[in-house]
Amino acid sequence: MVLISDIIKHKTKMEIPITFLGTSQAIPTKTRNHTAILLQYKNENILIDCGEGTQRQFRIAKINPCKLTRILITHWHGDHVLGLPGLFQTLALNKYKKTLHIYGPKKTKKFIQEITKIFLPISRLKIKVHEVEGKFLKTPDFEISALPLKHGCPCNGYVFKEKQKLRIDKNKLIKLKIKDKTKIAQLAKGKTIKINKKIIKPSQLTYKQKSRKIAFILDTKICSNINKLAKDSELLILEATYSKKESALAKKYGHLSTEQAAQIAKKAKAKQLILTHISQRYEYKEKSLLKEAKKIFPNTRIAEDFMKVEV
Amino acid sequence: MVLISDIIKHKTKMEIPITFLGTSQAIPTKTRNHTAILLQYKNENILIDCGEGTQRQFRIAKINPCKLTRILITHWHGDHVLGLPGLFQTLALNKYKKTLHIYGPKKTKKFIQEITKIFLPISRLKIKVHEVEGKFLKTPDFEISALPLKHGCPCNGYVFKEKQKLRIDKNKLIKLKIKDKTKIAQLAKGKTIKINKKIIKPSQLTYKQKSRKIAFILDTKICSNINKLAKDSELLILEATYSKKESALAKKYGHLSTEQAAQIAKKAKAKQLILTHISQRYEYKEKSLLKEAKKIFPNTRIAEDFMKVEV
C-alpha cells in the first residue's frame, strides 16, 4: 500500500522506539526493576511483560500509561506480571476508556480473572484477554506472532514484524517535478498518470520499504523456537540471566547464559542484540557479561532501566 | 522488669528506628513509592503496609527483607498491599525460615489465601494470619493494638507501645560504689542487698523508664478512634492526602487534610507528627502542605521515601 499521507506530508521513515522499563531478573536491585518493555508504533503502545513496579517506571520515564493499547505477557511468573493489578487500578483511576487487549500463553484468562477478582474495580476497565500461539494479530501496518518457549510453565516468545510496504520515492517525485497532489494521489492508488504529455507508471516511482522485525525472548532455556523467533531480526531482545561461567545454573533453572544468547544472535543473523533479565548477582558487574557476549556477537548491548533504542 | 544486661553492659536507652519505605497515595511518583513503613525494635522488624514495589525499596534502603518478623496491614486497597505477593516470592526465594505473622482487619485471611493461591510457592513460606481488633500482641517489651477506622472498607489504625519498665539508675550505682555484679544481679531481681554493712533496697536505685507510643493512621476520614490511637503518642504518623484547600475532597474520598491531621496531633498532645500518604497532585509542592500543618502543630514533618526517624 502506498501512503498518500506520507507523500503529502513528506514524512521520512518512522523509527520504532523501544523503552526498557525494567531489566532485572527475579529480584529487583537499586538500578533494575522487574521486566517490562514498551514498544511504540504509530498509535500503538505495546507493553511486553509487566513486573511489579511497572506503573511507577512509566511515571519516572514520563510516559502516560493510559496510552497503552496492548500488553503481551510472556508467562505467569511473578517477576513478569506482578505489576498488572496496580497498573489496572491506576488505569481505572485515570478513567482509561479503551479496551485493553492482553495476550499471553495458556492459562492467561484464568490468571487475569483471578487477579481482577481480588483487586480491581473491574467494571471500570474493559479488558479483553487472548491466549495466543502463532500469528495472532494483523493490522495494516504490522503483525505480531507468538511461539512457545521452554521455562517450566506456559511461556511465549513474541515477534513484532512490520508489513512490507510500497512507498513512493520522494527524490524521484522531485526529479520528475511532480507537485500536483491529485496526480500523486492517483499514483498512490496505483494509477498511471500523464504529466507534460509524458506517461508515468507507479512502478517508476515506488520502492519496497524494508520490513523491521523485533523479537522478544524474555525467559527460556535453549529450544528450537528461539531460532525461529530470532531469525533475521533487526533487534533481538534476549534474556541472559547467567554469565558464561554459570551456564550450568542457566540450564538447571531454565534460562540462557550470555554465551548462549550471543550464539543465538549470530546464528539468527540478527542486526542487534540486547541482553536483559539480568540477575542481581551481577549488580555493577554487567561489563563482564557484555564482554562475554561481544566476543561472539559484537553488536550487543546490555539493557538498563529507561534505556530507549530506536529501530 | 529490671534488665541485668543493661546494667552490666552499661547500655543507654535504645532508640526505635522508623524507616519510611513508601510515602505516596494511590498513584506513585518519581520520588514516592506506595505506602510501607518499617519499625525496628530489638529483634523485631515490623512492616506496616506493603504497597507495590516495597521489596525493591528494601533493597534500595539496604535492609534485608528476610529480617521481617511481622506485617501489619491497615486495609486491602491495592496501594497498601500490592507489594505482598512479590515480597512473599522474594522471601521464599531467599529461604525465609521464620513464621511470618500478618495482622490485618476483617477479610485479611481471605485476601492472603487468594493472593498466595495465585502467586506463591506457599509451601515454602510459613505465614500465620491474624484478623485483629484491640490489644492483640503482648511481648515482655511491647504491645500492639488496633482500632477500626473509617475508609469505605475494613481498615485498622495501629499503636505500638513499649511496656513501662523499672531500670536501675547507673549514676546511683556509681555514687554508692556498687560494682559487684552478683549484688547488682540481686538488686535486679528485686532483692535487698547489704554493702559495707549498709542495707540497700532496690527502690533506692530504680526508676520508671518512659514508655514510648507510636501511632500509625494511614487511611481514614475523621472518626473517634483516631483520637484514641493518637493520644499522648511520642510519634504520630498520619495520612494527609489533601491540602487544607481541598478538604472537601478529603471528606468525599474518606481521607484527612493537612489541617485535620495537625488538629488531631494537637488535641492528642502528640510529641511529633509525621504526615504521609501524599497525593501525586502535590509532587514537589510538599512545602505548602507542611506550612499548613505547622501553623497548627509546629513539630510536624512530611515523610519522604527512605527517611529514617528515631523515637
Side-chain angles (χ1 to χ4, degrees):
Chain A
M1 196 178 76
V2 185
L3 302 179
I4 309 171
S5 59
D6 280 8
I7 303 162
I8 294 170
K9 291 179 193 163
H10 290 275
K11 274 190 185 169
T12 55
K13 195 179 85 174
M14 196 187 65
E15 301 298 330
I16 306 174
I18 311 279
T19 308
F20 288 82
L21 292 172
T23 60
S24 80
Q25 195 227 352
I27 295 176
T29 66
K30 187 177 176 181
T31 54
R32 294 183 185 277
N33 200 60
H34 285 126
T35 299
I37 306 171
L38 183 69
L39 180 153
Q40 295 172 289
Y41 189 88
K42 295 188 176 174
N43 294 323
E44 293 278 353
N45 287 271
I46 302 167
L47 185 67
I48 300 95
D49 281 344
C50 183
E52 183 182 351
T54 298
Q55 64 160 317
R56 191 171 178 216
Q57 299 292 92
F58 267 101
R59 293 276 305 194
I60 298 173
K62 294 183 181 166
I63 302 169
N64 183 351
C66 287
K67 284 183 175 176
L68 274 180
T69 50
R70 305 173 197 276
I71 301 178
L72 314 181
I73 297 296
T74 59
H75 65 301
W76 283 84
H77 280 167
D79 56 325
H80 291 251
V81 294
L82 282 175
L84 286 173
L87 179 66
F88 291 165
Q89 290 200 344
T90 290
L91 293 180
L93 274 173
N94 285 306
K95 302 193 170 106
Y96 182 86
K97 289 289 175 218
K98 298 185 279 277
T99 296
L100 181 61
H101 291 273
I102 300 179
Y103 309 84
K106 279 172 196 163
K107 295 191 180 175
T108 295
K109 282 182 186 170
K110 178 183 150 281
F111 275 116
I112 293 283
Q113 259 174 8
E114 284 175 348
I115 62 170
T116 50
K117 194 178 72 184
I118 304 176
F119 287 115
L120 191 69
I122 183 67
S123 56
R124 290 159 58 193
L125 204 63
K126 282 177 281 176
I127 291 178
K128 192 157 170 51
V129 185
H130 315 258
E131 292 180 359
V132 295
E133 194 180 320
K135 205 172 285 176
F136 61 85
L137 182 69
K138 287 182 187 184
T139 78
D141 296 316
F142 64 85
E143 53 191 39
I144 307 183
S145 50
L147 284 179
L149 299 170
K150 287 199 172 169
H151 190 57
C153 70
C155 180
N156 279 344
Y158 292 101
V159 160
F160 172 96
K161 199 175 176 188
E162 260 189 312
K163 286 206 178 158
Q164 200 171 46
K165 289 176 187 172
L166 279 180
R167 288 191 175 264
I168 287 183
D169 186 328
K170 281 169 231 161
N171 293 327
K172 287 184 183 167
L173 276 183
I174 295 162
K175 206 174 170 185
L176 294 169
K177 292 173 187 167
I178 306 174
K179 290 175 187 172
D180 182 338
K181 283 179 187 173
T182 318
K183 300 273 181 192
I184 295 171
Q186 283 175 330
L187 276 172
K189 284 175 188 164
K191 289 179 184 171
T192 300
I193 58 164
K194 206 185 229 182
I195 287 185
N196 301 334
K197 294 177 187 171
K198 205 172 168 183
I199 287 171
I200 297 163
K201 288 179 185 173
S203 59
Q204 288 174 259
L205 296 167
T206 55
Y207 68 98
K208 278 186 182 173
Q209 182 186 289
K210 198 175 166 255
S211 160
R212 290 166 287 185
K213 177 181 173 180
I214 303 162
F216 301 86
I217 297 166
L218 300 181
D219 244 347
T220 188
K221 63 178 167 185
I222 286 290
C223 66
S224 60
N225 278 344
I226 294 179
N227 299 324
K228 291 179 193 163
L229 291 160
K231 197 173 182 310
D232 298 322
S233 49
E234 188 82 7
L235 173 61
L236 173 57
I237 301 170
L238 266 181
E239 73 123 302
T241 312
Y242 290 98
S243 69
K244 184 181 167 183
K245 268 185 195 168
E246 295 183 296
S247 54
L249 290 177
K251 197 175 173 183
K252 186 177 173 187
Y253 294 114
H255 288 292
L256 300 178
S257 70
T258 48
E259 189 183 37
Q260 286 175 320
Q263 281 162 346
I264 291 162
K266 191 178 177 184
K267 191 176 168 189
K269 295 182 178 165
K271 284 273 157 56
Q272 187 183 172
L273 170 64
I274 298 184
L275 303 178
T276 187
H277 203 262
I278 307 301
S279 167
Q280 54 159 341
R281 69 184 68 204
Y282 308 115
E283 201 177 0
Y284 307 119
K285 297 174 200 158
E286 289 94 339
K287 275 187 186 170
S288 66
L289 298 182
L290 186 62
K291 210 174 160 185
E292 287 172 2
K294 271 179 170 280
K295 267 188 193 169
I296 298 160
F297 190 82
N299 194 11
T300 304
R301 293 172 73 179
I302 303 265
E304 287 168 17
D305 280 23
F306 308 112
M307 183 171 106
K308 189 175 172 180
V309 291
E310 292 192 328
V311 180
Chain B
M1 195 177 79
V2 185
L3 301 179
I4 309 171
S5 60
D6 279 8
I7 303 161
I8 294 170
K9 292 179 191 163
H10 288 277
K11 273 189 186 169
T12 54
K13 195 179 84 172
M14 196 188 64
E15 301 297 331
I16 306 173
I18 311 279
T19 308
F20 289 82
L21 293 171
T23 60
S24 80
Q25 195 228 354
I27 294 176
T29 66
K30 187 176 176 182
T31 53
R32 295 184 186 274
N33 201 59
H34 285 127
T35 299
I37 305 172
L38 183 69
L39 180 152
Q40 296 172 288
Y41 188 88
K42 294 188 176 174
N43 294 323
E44 293 277 355
N45 287 271
I46 302 167
L47 184 67
I48 299 96
D49 282 343
C50 184
E52 183 182 351
T54 297
Q55 64 160 318
R56 191 172 177 215
Q57 300 292 91
F58 267 101
R59 293 276 306 194
I60 297 171
K62 294 184 181 166
I63 302 169
N64 183 351
C66 286
K67 285 183 175 176
L68 273 180
T69 51
R70 305 173 197 277
I71 302 177
L72 315 181
I73 297 296
T74 58
H75 65 301
W76 284 84
H77 281 166
D79 55 325
H80 291 250
V81 294
L82 282 174
L84 286 173
L87 179 67
F88 291 165
Q89 291 199 343
T90 290
L91 295 179
L93 274 173
N94 286 306
K95 301 191 171 109
Y96 181 86
K97 288 290 176 217
K98 298 185 278 278
T99 296
L100 181 62
H101 291 272
I102 299 177
Y103 308 84
K106 278 173 197 164
K107 295 194 180 173
T108 295
K109 281 182 186 169
K110 177 183 150 279
F111 276 116
I112 292 284
Q113 259 175 8
E114 284 175 348
I115 62 169
T116 51
K117 194 179 73 184
I118 305 176
F119 288 114
L120 192 69
I122 183 67
S123 57
R124 291 159 58 193
L125 204 63
K126 282 177 280 176
I127 291 177
K128 192 155 169 52
V129 185
H130 315 258
E131 291 179 0
V132 294
E133 194 179 320
K135 207 173 282 176
F136 62 84
L137 182 70
K138 288 182 186 183
T139 78
D141 297 316
F142 63 86
E143 53 191 39
I144 308 183
S145 50
L147 285 179
L149 300 170
K150 287 199 173 168
H151 189 55
C153 69
C155 181
N156 277 345
Y158 292 102
V159 160
F160 171 96
K161 197 175 176 188
E162 261 189 315
K163 286 207 176 155
Q164 201 172 46
K165 289 177 187 171
L166 279 178
R167 289 190 175 266
I168 288 185
D169 187 328
K170 281 167 230 161
N171 294 328
K172 288 184 183 166
L173 276 182
I174 295 161
K175 208 172 169 184
L176 294 169
K177 292 174 187 166
I178 306 173
K179 289 175 188 171
D180 183 336
K181 282 181 186 172
T182 319
K183 301 272 183 195
I184 297 172
Q186 283 175 330
L187 275 173
K189 283 176 189 163
K191 290 180 184 170
T192 300
I193 58 165
K194 206 183 226 182
I195 288 183
N196 302 331
K197 294 177 186 170
K198 203 173 170 185
I199 287 171
I200 298 163
K201 288 180 186 172
S203 59
Q204 288 175 258
L205 296 168
T206 54
Y207 68 98
K208 277 186 183 174
Q209 183 188 288
K210 196 176 169 259
S211 160
R212 291 166 287 186
K213 177 182 173 181
I214 304 162
F216 301 87
I217 297 165
L218 302 180
D219 244 346
T220 190
K221 62 179 168 186
I222 285 290
C223 66
S224 60
N225 278 343
I226 294 179
N227 299 325
K228 292 180 191 163
L229 292 160
K231 196 173 182 308
D232 297 323
S233 49
E234 188 82 7
L235 173 61
L236 174 57
I237 301 170
L238 266 182
E239 74 123 302
T241 312
Y242 291 97
S243 69
K244 185 181 167 183
K245 269 186 195 168
E246 295 182 297
S247 55
L249 289 177
K251 196 175 174 185
K252 185 177 174 187
Y253 293 115
H255 289 292
L256 300 178
S257 71
T258 48
E259 189 183 39
Q260 286 175 320
Q263 281 161 347
I264 291 162
K266 191 178 175 183
K267 190 176 168 188
K269 295 182 180 166
K271 284 272 158 54
Q272 188 185 172
L273 170 64
I274 298 183
L275 303 178
T276 188
H277 202 262
I278 307 300
S279 167
Q280 55 159 342
R281 69 185 67 204
Y282 308 115
E283 201 176 1
Y284 308 119
K285 296 173 201 159
E286 289 92 340
K287 276 188 185 170
S288 65
L289 298 182
L290 185 62
K291 208 173 159 185
E292 287 172 1
K294 271 179 170 281
K295 268 189 192 168
I296 298 161
F297 190 82
N299 195 12
T300 305
R301 292 172 74 179
I302 302 265
E304 287 169 18
D305 280 23
F306 309 112
M307 183 171 107
K308 189 174 172 180
V309 292
E310 293 191 328
V311 181

